[in-house]
């Protein structure tokens, strides 16, 4: 029975890294395992040589591995883009639910603006706590995974918007023409969007660290 040796497995990994720039450690190892298994099946079942089996299997994987050339996630493998878009969709669905509930409570029960403003400030301060915890997890990460790369892309933007909103909130206490006085609904909308994205990022990082721990256990 034919099986791939270390050198041949290294060739496959080199192609994944150099040709497809598959820099996400856990995903690369998983795909490497699938490709190696498929090649061994061809080499044994159809008596193919290594080079022929290599070209045959990579031809099947090419569409999933090639990079997206346009749009939000440019230069990212299509299979990764598919996962990130699914995460984006989950984020939007959760956010819509949170927005709907929050605005229903605030305007359904006619909550005073001062109380809403205090709630927004508390939420923005809470966001800094979540940002800190998420960044600690990012720094503790030793590998590049699909999940932690997704989180890193969002955390910087969240931090910038959170700082801006918090600054405008305190400025509006002194100047009535700026800050939350230009629209509590908009500020509430943005604060909730940031909070949901950061909370989602925190739990994704926890999942990513678990994946990394399992990956490191492989010989």
């Amino acid at each position: 029975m034919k099986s791939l040796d270390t050198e041949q497995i290294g060739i496959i990994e080199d192609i994944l890294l150099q040709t497809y720039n598959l820099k996400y450690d856990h995903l690369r190892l998983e795909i490497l395992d699938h490709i190696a298994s498929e090649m061994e099946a061809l080499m044994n079942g159809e008596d193919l040589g290594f080079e022929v089996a290599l070209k045959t299997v990579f031809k099947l994987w090419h569409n999933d591995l090639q990079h997206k050339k346009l749009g939000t996630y440019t230069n990212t493998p299509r299979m990764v883009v598919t996962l990130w878009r699914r995460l984006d969709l989950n984020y939007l669905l959760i956010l819509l639910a949170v927005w709907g509930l929050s605005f229903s409570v605030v305007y359904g029960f006619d909550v005073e603006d001062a109380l809403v403003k205090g709630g927004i400030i508390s939420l923005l301060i809470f966001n800094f706590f979540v940002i800190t915890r998420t960044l600690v997890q990012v720094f503790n990460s030793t590998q590049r995974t699909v999940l932690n790369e997704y989180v890193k892309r969002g955390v910087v933007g969240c931090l910038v918007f959170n700082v801006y909103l918090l600054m405008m909130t305190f400025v509006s206490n002194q100047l009535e023409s700026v800050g939350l006085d230009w629209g509590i609904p908009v500020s509430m909308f943005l604060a909730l969007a940031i909070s949901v994205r950061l909370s989602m990022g925190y739990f994704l990082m926890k999942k990513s660290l678990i994946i990394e721990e399992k990956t490191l256990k492989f010989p």
Side-chain angles (χ1 to χ4, degrees):
M1 181 175 181
K2 298 179 182 178
S3 60
L4 300 179
D5 58 33
T6 304
E7 182 180 353
Q8 291 171 327
I9 290 175
I11 291 173
I12 299 171
E13 186 165 21
D14 284 342
I15 294 173
L16 292 174
L17 279 169
Q18 296 174 15
T19 303
Y20 295 102
N21 193 28
L22 197 61
K23 54 195 174 185
Y24 312 105
D25 298 313
H26 176 262
L27 180 62
R28 187 175 66 255
L29 288 174
E30 185 175 338
I31 292 175
L32 175 61
D33 182 62
H34 282 295
I35 289 177
S37 296
E38 291 176 21
M39 286 181 61
E40 287 176 349
L42 286 175
M43 291 167 68
N44 287 288
E46 301 185 22
D47 196 28
L48 298 180
F50 172 77
E51 294 294 337
V52 177
L54 184 70
K55 291 179 181 179
T56 303
V57 173
F58 266 104
K59 186 176 181 180
L60 297 174
W61 280 87
H62 177 71
N63 286 337
D64 288 330
L65 292 174
Q66 69 177 341
H67 286 199
K68 188 174 180 293
K69 300 185 183 302
L70 297 173
T72 306
Y73 299 124
T74 305
N75 295 326
T76 303
R78 290 184 180 276
M79 59 170 31
V80 176
V81 172
T82 300
L83 173 61
W84 285 357
R85 282 179 173 169
R86 189 159 63 244
L87 291 173
D88 286 341
L89 178 60
N90 291 341
Y91 164 67
L92 289 175
L93 292 175
I94 295 171
L95 187 55
L96 285 173
V98 172
W99 277 339
L101 179 61
S102 300
F103 279 88
S104 296
V105 171
V106 170
Y107 294 101
F109 292 92
D110 197 22
V111 180
E112 294 182 0
D113 285 354
L115 186 59
V116 176
K117 193 171 181 178
I120 293 174
I121 294 173
S122 299
L123 184 58
L124 293 172
I125 293 172
F126 168 77
N127 286 347
F128 277 116
F129 172 76
V130 180
I131 287 173
T132 303
R133 294 295 301 273
T134 304
L135 287 175
V136 168
Q137 291 180 321
V138 169
F139 287 124
N140 286 337
S141 178
T142 58
Q143 300 181 28
R144 296 186 72 171
T145 70
V146 175
L147 294 181
N148 66 31
E149 195 72 14
Y150 178 81
V151 173
K152 290 174 188 176
R153 283 171 174 257
V155 72
V156 175
C158 287
L159 177 60
V160 172
F161 274 112
N162 204 70
V163 170
Y164 172 77
L165 278 176
L166 196 56
M167 286 175 60
M168 289 297 98
T169 300
F170 285 114
V171 170
S172 69
N173 288 330
Q174 307 297 326
L175 302 174
E176 295 182 356
S177 60
V178 296
L180 289 177
D181 290 320
W182 49 252
I184 285 179
V186 175
S187 299
M188 185 174 168
F189 175 92
L190 291 173
L192 287 170
I194 295 168
S195 185
V196 172
R197 184 60 183 261
L198 288 173
S199 298
M200 182 177 174
Y202 172 76
F203 288 108
L204 285 175
M205 278 305 306
K206 289 189 71 172
K207 185 175 181 180
S208 178
L209 290 173
I210 292 172
I211 290 173
E212 289 180 38
E213 184 179 353
K214 290 180 179 179
T215 302
L216 290 173
K217 289 180 180 179
F218 289 139

